[in-house]
Amino acid sequence: MMITLGSRERFNSATYDQGLVWVTLILLGIGLVMVYSASIALAEADKATGHQSTYFLIRQAIFIVISLIAGLMAFQVPTAMWQKMAPYLFLTGIALLVLVLIPGVGRNVNGSQRWLSLFIINLQPSEFMKLFAAIYVADYTIRKSAVMDSFTKGFLPMVFVMLLVGWLLLREPDFGAFAVIAAISISILWLGGINGRIFAGLLTLLPIAIVGLIWSSPYRLQRVIGFMDPWADPFGKGYQLSHALIAFGRGEWFGVGLGASVEKLLYLPEAHTDFLLAVIAEELGFVGVMVVIALFAWLILRAFGIAKEAIGNERYFSALLAQGIGVWMGVQGIINMGVNMGLLPTKGLTLPLLSFGGSGILANCIALAVLLRIDWENRRLQKGLPA
């Protein structure tokens, strides 16, 4: 395979991170198999799918192919270009979040208006906003590095911007995406050198803000109540979580076998999306879940390793962006896993690279392609070549 970036150079193991590519492909592969396994009963029962058992499998495979092509294209874009495009990408994300809230334009599914219909597929702007936010906050931190100790000049402008994003997301509502974007932004600001007292104050206010958001919304409050004791109302508020826990219990150490899940037989809602890990636990057991966790842990640690190498090359925007992508994958993965295991209240967040969904897979692949590009540029600089 050849790439053209000023000069033609063979794309071999010395020029790119093979481990990062393989872990990404393995997670996509596991996701494809498990989405098919988890969705067979739903696809056969739903008239909208034409009662075709392979409906979700085919769509997921198409999503993965498109996402890998998009990732390959994103890899060709120099990191410096991503930095130049940061404000425009962020404004594009804001525009999409506004567009999805317009009646008749945004599509409402299960009480949430999070999608834009593109006839063939539905686009979920919040998935791309995670990447745009990581790029924008990394660029902002570099541009404002001289005043990051200032509350009014460094911190406050970013707070106003993130409050706008949060308000738009909560209007959908998509509290999960807001939590991930907030985590990405706060982490990049902290890693970029924000004043310690400001950061401590922010951490103090966050729990208060989260409690306020939960208390002000009846449906969020009901989810928390159902999370605290799902067995108190197993056919109501605790229905989804109780069935997820049953799936984990049935899986034991090695699972009941691939394809042998009972919970996916229309008992566990959203088995192929938000609760895919529960099906993995039931069919592949504790061992299967630990393999998934280990792959995510490697991915996150590698993101921070690439960031450390970028710092060594004095490429601070690249370092912050790599860290932001690592935080994104880590926080969203932890929230999804925590929800599936009953450690966190139910939230509509998918498991990156695994759960069914075109927008999520596409955004994840582009983000990891950007991470791979950062590593590629690191390697070139270490050889004395231009990035």
Side-chain angles (χ1 to χ4, degrees), residues 90-356:
F90 192 75
L91 288 174
T92 299
I94 293 288
L96 290 173
L97 291 179
V98 171
L99 197 61
V100 81
L101 294 174
I102 299 175
V105 178
R107 186 183 177 194
N108 192 299
V109 178
N110 296 329
S112 297
Q113 194 158 321
R114 304 177 184 175
W115 294 268
L116 292 172
S117 178
L118 301 181
F119 302 106
I120 299 176
I121 61 170
N122 292 320
L123 183 72
Q124 190 172 356
S126 60
E127 291 293 342
F128 298 96
M129 195 63 197
K130 295 167 188 173
L131 175 59
F132 298 160
I135 295 171
Y136 178 75
V137 179
D139 174 59
Y140 176 89
T141 304
I142 297 301
R143 285 189 291 108
K144 297 284 188 177
S145 58
V147 294
M148 285 306 290
D149 276 343
S150 171
F151 179 79
T152 55
K153 296 180 180 179
F155 179 68
L156 206 55
M158 180 54 65
V159 170
F160 286 137
V161 169
M162 286 303 145
L163 284 176
L164 172 61
V165 174
W167 180 76
L168 291 171
L169 288 170
L170 292 174
R171 291 273 296 172
E172 295 183 8
D174 195 346
F175 182 75
F178 176 50
V180 173
I181 290 173
I184 294 169
S185 304
I186 293 169
S187 298
I188 291 176
L189 287 172
W190 176 54
L191 293 166
I194 193 174
N195 184 283
R197 287 176 295 178
I198 296 174
F199 183 71
L202 182 62
L203 290 183
T204 303
L205 290 174
L206 269 178
I208 300 172
I210 292 172
V211 171
L213 286 171
I214 293 172
W215 194 262
S216 64
S217 174
Y219 94 94
R220 289 194 201 105
L221 185 59
Q222 289 303 312
R223 282 189 170 185
V224 172
I225 293 171
F227 152 74
M228 293 176 68
D229 187 5
W231 307 110
D233 188 11
F235 299 104
K237 295 186 290 289
Y239 181 82
Q240 201 167 25
L241 178 54
S242 62
H243 279 279
L245 294 175
I246 291 171
F248 270 86
R250 290 192 75 244
E252 297 185 353
W253 287 98
F254 300 104
V256 296
L258 184 62
S261 167
V262 171
E263 287 300 322
K264 70 182 183 185
L265 303 178
L266 306 183
Y267 291 105
L268 177 62
E270 309 299 336
H272 62 306
T273 55
D274 300 349
F275 282 84
L276 186 66
L277 188 69
V279 178
I280 293 174
E282 186 177 3
E283 295 190 348
L284 305 181
F286 176 80
V287 172
V289 173
M290 288 307 299
V291 168
V292 171
I293 292 174
L295 289 169
F296 271 104
W298 189 95
L299 191 67
I300 296 159
L301 289 173
R302 187 67 194 113
F304 278 85
I306 291 171
K308 185 177 180 180
E309 292 163 7
I311 292 171
N313 292 323
E314 297 184 352
R315 301 172 63 239
Y316 300 112
F317 168 78
S318 297
L320 289 174
L321 180 54
Q323 290 166 337
I325 292 170
V327 169
W328 168 11
M329 298 297 162
V331 169
Q332 184 163 336
I334 288 170
I335 291 175
N336 178 275
M337 293 175 188
V339 167
N340 275 253
M341 297 177 188
L343 301 175
L344 293 170
T346 303
K347 285 308 308 163
L349 272 179
T350 57
L351 190 58
L353 298 172
L354 277 86
S355 295
F356 177 80

Side-chain angles (χ1 to χ4, degrees), residues 65-82:
V65 170
I66 292 172
S67 299
L68 289 174
I69 293 171
L72 186 60
M73 293 171 63
F75 177 81
Q76 308 300 320
V77 181
T79 308
M81 183 60 69
W82 288 110

